[in-house]
Every structure is written in structure tokens, then in C-alpha cells.
Amino acid sequence: GEGTVFPITPYERDKFYYESLTTITFKRNDTGEIIGHSVTPPGGTGGYAVLTDEEVVVQEIVEVEASILENYAGTYELMPNFDITVTVSGTTIRAQATGQGAFDLQPHSNTKFVFPPAGITMIFPDNLNGKSPEFRLIQGGQEMVAKRKKQD
């Protein structure tokens, strides 16, 4: 599958960081075998993943028609003084939160878009007849609704 590649830098045995100072720490059992790892963002609480033999299911990236994407373009309020602006150029959809850089979203369906490096999923309502009134934002186990601002 395709995805964003981040060079990682070791700083201790089994500990690495990448450009945003997110750390990756591998955990070993008593015999020294790696049994899992944690990923911790700067100043945040990380998640822990256990090593498994199960197959990883990679969601397919699909192409969404520009006419569908245009219904999602606009500015949405996630919380007071924190907006997410969605822009569309052809069949590319981008999002930008207040005070942050813009990023391309990967379409996984006509309504579901993801940005894997930050663990962001944005889901728009099905069967729209015009502009989307909102979308659900899922990140770090939290789910919030962003409502379209009135001027859009």
C-alpha cells in the first residue's frame, strides 16, 4: 500500500523519533523478542499496539467525482475559535484547521476521507442534496461533529 514515509532516528535501544518528535518505543519480552510498540506524540498520551500475526487490512483509496467533493468544500466549526476549512481542486480534497498547515485527504469512499499520519478520519453524510451541513471528525478515539458555518 501507499502512505506517507517518515524517516525515523534512533535515540536509545528500541526508541526512535521522527520529525514531529513523536516517539516510537518497542517493547520486548523476557527472551528479547519484540512483542509490541507504543507511539507517543509530543506532550501527549500514546497508544500501544501488540505484535500480531493477523493480516493487516489496508483500506483502498478510491476516486471520488469532483461534483461530489464540491458539496464538502467550505468552512466548518469544530469548536469555538477552531475551524476546519475543506477545499477541493478537481478530485483532490484538502483540509486545514485553524493555525495549522493544509493536508490532502485520502478518499476511502464517497463520504469517508482519511489523513493517516495524524490518525484523522472525516465522514460526511450520505445522500446529500447540496452542500454538506456537517462532518464527523474521528481522531485518537474521539469523535466530534464539525458544523458548516453560516457564510458557506
Side-chain angles (χ1 to χ4, degrees), residues 22-54:
T22 294
T23 61
I24 303 166
T25 305
F26 291 94
K27 182 175 181 180
R28 296 177 183 270
N29 63 15
D30 293 339
T31 63
E33 295 174 288
I34 293 175
I35 58 171
H37 76 280
S38 62
V39 178
T40 307
T45 302
Y48 182 74
V50 176
L51 183 63
T52 179
D53 291 333
E54 292 180 26

Side-chain angles (χ1 to χ4, degrees), residues 67-135:
S67 61
I68 293 172
L69 295 178
E70 286 297 332
N71 289 321
Y72 306 146
T75 301
Y76 300 80
E77 183 178 66
L78 190 62
M79 60 185 70
N81 301 312
F82 192 81
D83 296 340
I84 297 178
T85 300
V86 176
T87 57
V88 173
S89 178
T91 57
T92 300
I93 185 168
R94 295 174 59 81
Q96 183 171 11
T98 301
Q100 299 179 18
F103 51 89
D104 288 350
L105 296 165
Q106 296 176 351
H108 287 212
S109 74
N110 281 349
T111 59
K112 181 179 178 181
F113 303 86
V114 300
F115 181 60
I120 293 171
T121 300
M122 294 168 60
I123 302 173
F124 291 87
D126 283 326
N127 303 319
L128 287 176
N129 186 12
K131 300 286 186 187
S132 177
E134 64 188 29
F135 68 82

